[in-house]
Amino acid sequence: MDRSIDVDSVDLLGRVRAGDDAAWAELTGQYTNLLWSLARGMRLSEQDAADAVQTTWLRLVERIDTIRHPDRVGGWLATTMRRECLAAIARRERVQPADGWDDLPAPADPLEDGLIREERDAALWRALRALRPRCQALLRVLMADPAPSYADVALALDMPVGSIGPTRQRCLAALRQLMRLGPEPV
Amino acid sequence: MSPDEDDDQLLERLRQVAAEADAVPENVLAAARAAFTMRDTDLELARLVADSAEAGFEPVRSGAVAARLLAFDGGGVQVDLDVEVAGGRTVLIGHVSGADACVLERGDGSRQLVPLDELGRFLVGGVRPGPLRLRCRGPAGRTVATSWVTV
């Protein structure tokens, strides 16, 4: 693992604890994309993803002075976000049957391709949707920008660090396979 | 080119498509930055000590109402909170002890007074979805807030 990242995160959290707004902006700039990617990979709607990301940051503010391992703030965020996503899914499951499925607007598909200009890219994005959910979630998290550390990915998806590399390889191979098969039959 | 480099390249392409098709909305980035304004080092935390949604309970249901029961404790304040959702509307029903005044605080920092009756009970209707917490005046005038809950 890259030790310089850990040192940076200890320093960054120290500055955040001292009340440094710029340090907070840097921290949110570094991780918000990962948190969003995790929520979307777990197929939360835009609204639920937005609430889960906001709650995760509010929880960090709430706990900022008592976090035990400032060197692992990324892992703390990934774990907290995963929990928020599971809670959002549970909330939907609790509420929806009571409301009746018919009354609800279908949540926007996180793999909606309407915004993509190039057909080639849209086809790639649609192929993702045909992968099994585990692959979709892993690849969506690995797409986060900046690229997340495997330690953070492991906590985000609750999988062993050692299985990320091999699973990534298998999921990308499956994606290539789907692309080779061409446009999905309708 | 090695298979690993192929994979890195495909993932990079996916990252670019994600930036186009599913970018982080600007309001999400803004809310993340704004969360820091909610920092208050004098605040004492009433932690979540029970949550029906996490305890493996069967959902509490009567008719078309789905309810989630939460309990918080800390800083000399106890809060029992019942989040009820019916027909897409959220109602908070609760009980506070150890505090004589509370406000409902939202993730964006907005607040509304929560009227407590003589027994410390309250009811707030028309609650919009998103993170919230109860912020109360506890023993000896200390400020105590529950941990955040997303409804």
Side-chain angles (χ1 to χ4, degrees):
Chain A
M1 282 284 113
D2 185 355
R3 285 181 53 83
S4 69
I5 289 172
D6 296 347
V7 173
D8 281 355
S9 119
V10 171
D11 172 60
L12 194 58
L13 212 66
R15 282 160 50 212
V16 168
R17 282 175 172 169
D20 182 343
D21 288 331
W24 179 260
E26 200 181 316
L27 189 65
T28 56
Q30 199 172 331
Y31 286 106
T32 301
N33 193 300
L34 171 62
L35 302 184
W36 178 260
S37 301
L38 174 57
R40 300 294 273 165
M42 290 174 76
R43 315 215 60 141
L44 266 61
S45 70
E46 286 210 4
Q47 187 55 58
D48 284 348
D51 286 346
V53 173
Q54 186 184 21
T55 303
T56 297
W57 286 117
L58 289 167
R59 280 199 204 295
L60 181 61
V61 171
E62 176 186 281
R63 307 292 167 96
I64 195 82
D65 293 304
T66 51
I67 281 206
R68 285 198 204 103
H69 301 286
D71 55 328
R72 285 181 235 152
V73 68
W76 189 95
L77 287 165
T79 306
T80 303
M81 185 64 190
R82 174 177 179 75
R83 234 177 263 148
E84 291 305 323
C85 290
L86 292 173
I89 292 165
R91 203 160 58 236
R92 287 286 167 230
E93 282 172 355
R94 262 200 318 281
V95 171
Q96 285 182 349
D99 281 306
W101 291 102
D102 297 341
D103 303 337
L104 284 155
D109 192 327
L111 296 180
E112 187 58 58
D113 60 354
L115 292 171
I116 302 176
R117 288 180 301 268
E118 297 256 353
E119 175 47 34
R120 201 172 71 96
D121 291 340
L124 181 62
W125 205 242
R126 284 193 300 272
L128 259 184
R129 193 161 34 184
L131 291 174
R132 58 199 175 86
R134 190 97 184 133
C135 276
Q136 289 183 33
L138 175 65
L139 292 182
R140 187 64 189 85
V141 165
L142 290 172
M143 282 173 221
D145 185 15
S149 76
Y150 277 16
D152 291 350
V153 173
L155 290 166
L157 296 173
D158 192 24
M159 63 192 283
V161 176
S163 74
I164 294 170
T167 311
R168 175 187 117 139
Q169 204 173 10
R170 274 200 301 277
C171 293
L172 289 173
L175 184 62
R176 280 201 189 85
Q177 177 78 18
L178 282 166
M179 290 300 284
R180 266 195 299 273
L181 292 174
E184 60 239 89
V186 180
Chain B
M1 189 182 290
S2 76
D4 276 359
E5 284 168 355
D6 268 359
D7 278 1
D8 287 348
Q9 230 170 42
L10 179 54
L11 202 56
E12 186 48 42
R13 196 177 141 210
L14 284 166
R15 186 169 296 125
Q16 284 164 15
V17 180
E20 193 178 356
D22 190 26
V24 186
E26 188 45 50
N27 65 325
V28 172
L29 294 168
R33 284 191 296 268
F36 199 47
T37 62
M38 302 299 281
R39 189 169 189 221
D40 181 347
T41 46
D42 294 330
L43 209 58
E44 290 193 52
L45 188 62
R47 286 173 187 274
L48 183 67
V49 292
D51 182 350
S52 63
E54 283 176 16
F57 282 65
E58 282 300 301
V60 183
R61 225 179 251 295
S62 73
V65 180
R68 180 180 174 198
L69 307 172
L70 304 147
F72 304 88
D73 192 356
V77 172
Q78 293 83 40
V79 179
D80 291 312
L81 186 64
D82 175 0
V83 182
E84 298 202 346
V85 183
R89 293 176 176 277
T90 301
V91 177
L92 306 178
I93 301 167
H95 176 255
V96 177
S97 55
D100 57 7
C102 295
V103 292
L104 181 67
E105 191 167 41
R106 304 306 311 240
D108 61 6
S110 64
R111 293 177 187 179
Q112 76 182 86
L113 188 69
V114 174
L116 301 177
D117 74 6
E118 67 278 11
L119 296 173
R121 295 173 304 188
F122 63 87
L123 187 152
V124 182
V127 178
R128 64 178 197 280
L132 58 82
R133 68 180 174 185
L134 225 56
R135 185 188 183 95
C136 301
R137 190 168 63 210
R142 289 192 304 229
T143 308
V144 179
T146 67
S147 48
W148 291 97
V149 178
T150 309
V151 301

